[in-house]
Amino acid sequence: MARFIISRFLQAILVLFSVLTITFFLTRLAPGNPFQEDKAIPKHILAKMDAYWGRDQPVMVQYGKQMWNFATLNFGPSFGNKGFTVNEVISMAFPVSFMIGLSGLLFALAIGIPIGILSAVKRNTGVDYSLMSFALVGICLPTFVIGPLLSIAMIKLGWLPALGWETPWVNWILPGLTLGLFYGAYFARLTRAGMLETLSQDYIRTARSKGVSETRVVLGHALKGGLVPVVGFVGPAVAALIGGSFVMESVFQLPGLGTHFIRAVTNRDTPLLLGCVATFGVLILITNFLSDILLAWLNPRHQSASDA
Amino acid sequence: MPNPAMDTPTTRLEEIEQGTSLGKDAWLRLKKNKLAMASLFIFVFIVLLCFIGPFFGVQHPTTTHLDAKSQPPSKDFLLGSEHLGRDILSRILYGGQVSLIVGFIATFVSLIIGVSYGAVAGYIGGRTDVIMMRIVDVLYALPFMLIVIILTASFSEALQDIEFLHAMKEKSIVFEPDLLLLFFAIGFVEWLTMARIVRSQIITLKKQEFVDAAVSLGLSHKRIIFRHLIPNVFGSIIVYTTLTVPSVMRLEAVLSFLGLGVKPPNSSWGSLIKEGADRMYSDPWLLVFPALFFSLTIFSLNFLGDGLRDALDPKTSKD
């Protein structure tokens, strides 16, 4: 296990390093200058600003500096948000995105797993078919359609605030639910497939023949194996949830990190961009790491297979 | 029924290679699947509507009617008009062309990369295979959405300056240089699963006698891979391609929704949904109709892909 964890950790560092490197060179290859505004700025002033921010140095020197900044977790000042450091921007915006993403994931699991289990237990009945068609509808309706529809429903009904982040303790519900409905549909299908496979195993038949109650067979014996595909998908789901939270921020007008990220790309705000990429990257890697460990625990064969 | 053309050895070989009976079999099975057939018809209908519909007296998508702003569906504007009085039906049809073109071309790019990568890795095997698939594993862990956004947003300006693309834009209603970015940015991130599927199939295929026969005939590796192995994986490739198109279209829609993909005055279903979402309270038809077209297309492609999977019965997992 220790070897497995160490190798995964080293791999995570390598991935993070390559992502940051790709990001840095992509933004430096791209034309445009972060200080360019609609009104043309005289060349010598631009040159001075470039010099002030260290953009006149050789690219490799800048690259080294950025990497060092990353290693020391201090990303320096943001080009686009004057007067703010990247760390400040991220620490203000990240909690919003994190809450949306986390609530989305929890909603998805809470919706998807029970539906999947029920569907597997009642397989090939009306219940199964209707639940699975519901899940397929969920997969085909993108979040940027569900979100506006939920939001307009809330404007009409007035149960929850439809937009914004003025009251954070209720504002996370709608975006979280939107993401949860969408990814919950995936989880439902995965849970159903996993449960069906596990329920056909010999040890389940043994348990049944010993007279264990059906509820215990399903929830006590089969669930652990049935969840393997779900846990395997949590890693990719978190990466997708980050993209989804960008959409949610745009739909529900939330002050999250996605908005800053997109603005940083269009403004060529390299430090902020790298800061965002590093934050998202670390988040994805941590989840992948946790889900790998969880998978190894759920299914020891998986570990030896991926060790090889 | 003896067919004289069948008597020449080349056509007979061709016949065996192509395996028409397998394709016919699959088609018969697909025809029995009502859901998949309905999806196929809906999808073909939408495609025809988008590409041929505009020839039947639809307005130009960017013509404004300032005397008919934000009209609900009526005789003049079948699906309503938006805040500048542009016809929604026409914008949906031309926007659909953009969405579908991006969906197909980006999928095609990912298909080329994924199939060749997977086939080469599976065919060579050994250490090369381990390294190549390890790279795929690592790429799977990357936050793709971020890279795609960086690619599309950073290089959009650079493409505007290319003379040739500019000329193309002048000639066509739907083309804009940004589309090229979408083709490649999305294509470069969507090939991973295809590579895995093709590789695992090639590994089982390459142990079979016909490959030994090809090797002993002295055929080159390139010829064996592309003429003998890959045609045998066509089933899985078709199935997975059908399922890739909707996910590519969704990615394009998300990008356009965020204002990074297709930009105004051009439109795609994603950007139309965004415009609709911004005005959904006062003019709900702006959101409903583009969303309907988009969801129906995604829907039908997913059902069709599922149906094809059952019909062709490849031994691949859903992943």
Side-chain angles (χ1 to χ4, degrees):
Chain A
M1 193 70 183
R3 221 194 98 201
F4 172 69
I5 291 178
I6 291 170
S7 87
R8 278 297 143 114
F9 183 74
L10 290 178
Q11 196 184 321
I13 301 276
L14 186 72
V15 169
L16 199 59
F17 175 74
S18 13
V19 172
L20 287 172
T21 307
I22 295 172
T23 312
F24 179 84
F25 285 104
L26 275 182
T27 51
R28 291 321 308 256
L29 272 174
N33 183 301
F35 311 114
Q36 198 72 57
E37 285 166 18
D38 291 340
K39 213 173 73 182
I41 299 175
K43 275 222 167 72
H44 64 280
I45 295 182
L46 262 188
K48 262 197 174 155
M49 286 174 93
D50 275 350
Y52 180 76
W53 297 103
R55 278 174 48 92
D56 58 340
Q57 288 160 332
V59 173
M60 286 319 285
V61 174
Q62 293 182 40
Y63 170 68
K65 270 195 180 157
Q66 289 284 359
M67 287 295 140
W68 175 248
N69 280 350
F70 174 64
T72 54
L73 293 180
N74 170 25
F75 293 98
S78 155
F79 291 163
N81 303 271
K82 300 269 154 45
F84 287 96
T85 65
V86 171
N87 293 36
E88 282 167 348
V89 173
I90 291 179
S91 61
M92 275 188 297
F94 181 67
V96 180
S97 304
F98 185 72
M99 241 171 112
I100 302 170
L102 185 68
S103 60
L105 184 64
L106 294 181
F107 270 122
L109 292 171
I111 296 169
I113 293 177
I115 290 184
I117 294 175
L118 193 62
S119 217
V121 171
K122 308 250 176 205
R123 72 170 163 283
N124 297 338
T125 65
V127 179
D128 178 24
Y129 291 136
S130 45
L131 284 178
M132 281 304 112
S133 340
F134 172 72
L136 201 62
V137 173
I139 289 176
C140 296
L141 273 182
T143 50
F144 46 87
V145 173
I146 305 179
L149 290 178
L150 275 182
S151 159
I152 198 170
M154 285 304 140
I155 293 177
K156 296 237 151 118
L157 296 169
W159 293 345
L160 289 169
L163 300 169
W165 198 254
E166 277 87 47
T167 44
W169 60 91
V170 283
N171 276 132
W172 57 269
I173 298 177
L174 276 192
L177 188 63
T178 309
L179 289 175
L181 283 173
F182 184 70
Y183 292 99
Y186 273 99
F187 283 131
R189 278 167 64 129
L190 289 171
T191 311
R192 179 176 180 274
M195 287 299 284
L196 282 183
E197 179 154 2
T198 326
L199 282 172
S200 64
Q201 303 270 320
D202 288 342
Y203 71 91
I204 297 295
R205 205 179 48 197
T206 313
R208 280 197 180 125
S209 65
K210 282 190 338 198
V212 179
S213 78
E214 188 61 24
T215 323
R216 268 208 69 185
V217 169
V218 172
L219 297 181
H221 292 73
L223 189 58
K224 195 178 156 190
L227 284 184
V228 168
V230 177
V231 176
F233 185 64
V234 165
V238 167
L241 276 170
I242 289 174
S245 75
F246 290 7
V247 176
M248 290 301 100
E249 284 171 29
S250 157
V251 169
F252 293 101
Q253 301 170 10
L254 309 172
L257 202 50
T259 322
H260 283 290
F261 171 74
I262 292 169
R263 210 178 300 149
V265 181
T266 38
N267 292 346
R268 312 279 182 273
D269 188 347
T270 317
L272 181 57
L273 182 61
L274 285 176
C276 291
V277 171
T279 315
F280 292 132
V282 168
L283 198 66
I284 292 173
L285 290 172
I286 290 177
T287 352
N288 274 330
F289 187 59
L290 290 180
S291 92
D292 274 344
I293 291 179
L294 202 57
L295 271 184
W297 175 73
L298 283 173
N299 181 5
R301 266 172 303 175
H302 175 83
Q303 182 202 339
S304 43
S306 58
D307 248 356
Chain B
M1 195 60 85
N3 183 344
M6 291 275 288
D7 288 337
T8 56
T10 43
T11 34
R12 190 173 286 161
L13 253 181
E14 206 90 320
E15 181 82 359
I16 297 162
E17 250 181 44
Q18 300 288 326
T20 46
S21 62
L22 185 74
K24 249 182 219 157
D25 243 28
W27 174 241
L28 284 178
R29 255 172 290 168
L30 187 69
K31 267 211 269 198
K32 279 192 206 136
N33 187 338
K34 290 199 186 87
L35 208 54
M37 286 315 280
S39 303
L40 181 63
F41 281 120
I42 291 177
F43 180 66
V44 171
F45 178 70
I46 291 179
V47 171
L48 291 180
L49 204 61
C50 287
F51 285 91
I52 298 178
F55 292 115
F56 295 94
V58 173
Q59 303 187 18
H60 194 276
T62 52
T63 308
T64 55
H65 298 271
L66 294 175
D67 52 336
K69 291 182 203 164
S70 303
Q71 296 288 310
S74 66
K75 205 166 87 289
D76 293 335
F77 298 101
L78 278 180
L79 300 182
S81 71
E82 39 89 282
H83 63 289
L84 294 174
R86 291 182 287 198
D87 182 38
I88 290 299
L89 175 64
S90 143
R91 285 174 69 74
I92 288 179
L93 296 186
Y94 281 104
Q97 291 186 10
V98 173
S99 291
L100 290 164
I101 289 173
V102 172
F104 282 113
I105 298 190
T107 303
F108 185 70
V109 172
S110 79
L111 184 77
I112 299 289
I113 304 176
V115 171
S116 356
Y117 193 94
V120 168
Y123 182 72
I124 297 177
R127 230 192 159 75
T128 320
D129 177 38
V130 171
I131 294 172
M132 283 177 85
M133 292 328 278
R134 201 76 195 145
I135 293 174
V136 169
D137 287 345
V138 171
L139 288 177
Y140 253 112
L142 291 187
F144 274 131
M145 189 73 191
L146 308 186
I147 305 274
V148 173
I149 289 179
I150 293 172
L151 272 175
T152 44
S154 307
F155 293 98
S156 160
E157 276 172 47
L159 281 183
Q160 306 296 338
D161 301 336
I162 300 175
E163 198 73 28
F164 162 68
L165 295 177
H166 210 76
M168 264 181 90
K169 187 185 173 172
E170 299 291 307
K171 276 193 205 133
S172 148
I173 296 181
V174 294
F175 182 81
E176 61 174 310
D178 280 352
L179 290 186
L180 281 185
L181 270 181
L182 288 177
F183 298 157
F184 289 100
I186 299 178
F188 278 129
V189 302
E190 286 280 346
W191 58 272
L192 299 173
T193 311
M194 181 66 90
R196 279 190 178 172
I197 291 174
V198 170
R199 168 188 169 265
S200 67
Q201 300 235 330
I202 295 283
I203 285 179
T204 47
L205 274 179
K206 76 171 178 192
K207 292 178 192 127
Q208 295 187 13
E209 286 89 351
F210 74 92
V211 179
D212 291 340
V215 172
S216 60
L217 279 172
L219 299 187
S220 70
H221 292 310
K222 198 173 130 202
R223 195 177 160 84
I224 294 176
I225 291 178
F226 288 97
R227 294 298 295 276
H228 297 267
L229 285 172
I230 289 181
N232 278 295
V233 202
F234 268 161
S236 326
I237 295 178
I238 291 170
V239 171
Y240 190 69
T241 303
T242 320
L243 295 170
T244 307
V245 175
S247 74
V248 165
M249 288 181 67
R250 182 179 295 131
L251 195 50
E252 180 275 326
V254 166
L255 289 172
S256 300
F257 188 90
L258 294 173
L260 296 166
V262 178
K263 295 186 187 71
N266 206 342
S267 59
S268 79
W269 284 338
S271 71
L272 289 173
I273 291 173
K274 170 67 181 164
E275 285 173 27
D278 287 342
R279 288 163 205 280
M280 62 184 169
Y281 197 68
S282 51
D283 314 331
W285 58 90
L286 292 185
L287 173 63
V288 170
F289 293 119
L292 196 68
F293 271 80
F294 180 75
S295 301
L296 262 182
T297 309
I298 302 286
F299 233 169
S300 55
L301 281 170
N302 273 318
F303 275 119
L304 183 61
D306 274 358
L308 280 173
R309 188 205 313 276
D310 295 341
L312 293 162
D313 191 31
K315 286 141 240 127
T316 51
S317 69
K318 272 191 183 173
D319 198 72

